[in-house]
Amino acid sequence: CINTDLTISHCKIWKNSAGSGGGIRCVSSEVLLESNLIALNSASCGGGAYCDSNVIIVNCVFSKNNACDGSGLWYCNGRPIIINCTFANNRPALGSAIIFTSGGGVGVHDGIVLNSIFWNNGPEESDIEIVLEFSDIIPIRHSNINLRRCYGYSYDTTTYNWLWDLICEDPLFADTLFMDYHLQRFSPCIDAGIDFYSGFSAPLADIECNPRPWGAGWDMGAYEYIDTTAIGESPATLPGDFSISAYPNPFNSTVSISFICHSRENGNPEIEIFDIAGRMVAEIRQERSLSGAETTFAKNSLRLRSGSDLREVVWTPAPTLPSGVYLARVFVGDMSRTVKIIYLR
């Protein structure tokens, strides 16, 4: 993009190559990169992205990109705002995660790196992850990074305040081989971020639209840790006699939760909607009287539609319910299935 205002959101940008900016190249523009996977791209500089602009980068993952300079991100001449991003497993380079440089222009200035994770960008301790070259200092706050792998920063935090509240621990990603950078339960990055710093605010949702914060505070990286073990989430679709799905998802007014259960003799359906904290916010159930008539009991805007094998629950959230992640659980007899639904008001 050149000389434009642009938003790139919820995209997978990978397996591209170019002279500069293998995945994305932004010049003289105002750009928002939000909730993107930028991976497996290559270039001479800026394997994942080349930014010669004012760019806000939020909830993005840069992984397995390759370049001579700035494998993840090459940034020059603008104001970089990088919040809740994950830079992991980018190839060794001068700035295997990020290089901030002047590029012969006004240089990089007035930016921030906040709530982000830098891990294993180059396998050796000598591989430099972040390079600050001919540039104003870009503060790094509340992030997981090895300071010994940063070039151009002073480590004297008693005199300089651009490196604060940092940790350097294994973030305990779910599966780096398959670029699954969800945090595991005991990750040190959980609740280690901050909501606001010096005019910069952390996002209210993560790369998957899960709400932030879920626990005691904002997590570092692109993924907020969501513990659903108290409720138990099932895959959206399962083969066999019982399957469940939701559409549209995410939704902003009404969602249809459809399920197929061939084993009707096991009982009538019961449907419950929980918020992410485990509180039930809506329910519907059917009861059969002695005469054989069915009566439907509904609470909080749930409606049941029945067909031959396919049944559908239509949920319109109450006006008081906030945006966020909800879990819909369907019971039929002794069987149950759960699907995650995302409500965006």
Side-chain angles (χ1 to χ4, degrees), residues 208-277:
E208 296 180 317
C209 298
N210 294 316
R212 294 186 189 265
W214 188 81
W218 269 252
D219 296 348
M220 295 176 178
Y223 294 91
E224 188 81 0
Y225 176 72
I226 306 294
D227 185 2
T228 60
T229 55
I231 302 174
E233 181 183 350
S234 303
T237 58
L238 292 171
D241 290 338
F242 198 177
S243 62
I244 182 173
S245 62
Y247 182 84
N249 193 14
F251 72 102
N252 62 11
S253 59
T254 298
V255 61
S256 296
I257 303 160
S258 302
F259 57 98
I260 297 175
C261 183
H262 300 294
S263 302
R264 292 187 179 181
E265 66 277 11
N266 288 336
N268 293 312
E270 299 180 14
I271 301 95
E272 299 170 341
I273 309 289
F274 297 88
D275 66 15
I276 202 64

Side-chain angles (χ1 to χ4, degrees), residues 141-159:
R141 301 295 178 94
H142 296 273
S143 295
N144 188 7
I145 187 170
N146 186 343
L147 292 183
R148 290 186 295 273
R149 300 179 69 174
C150 297
Y151 174 81
Y153 286 88
S154 170
Y155 306 148
D156 182 4
T157 56
T158 61
T159 303

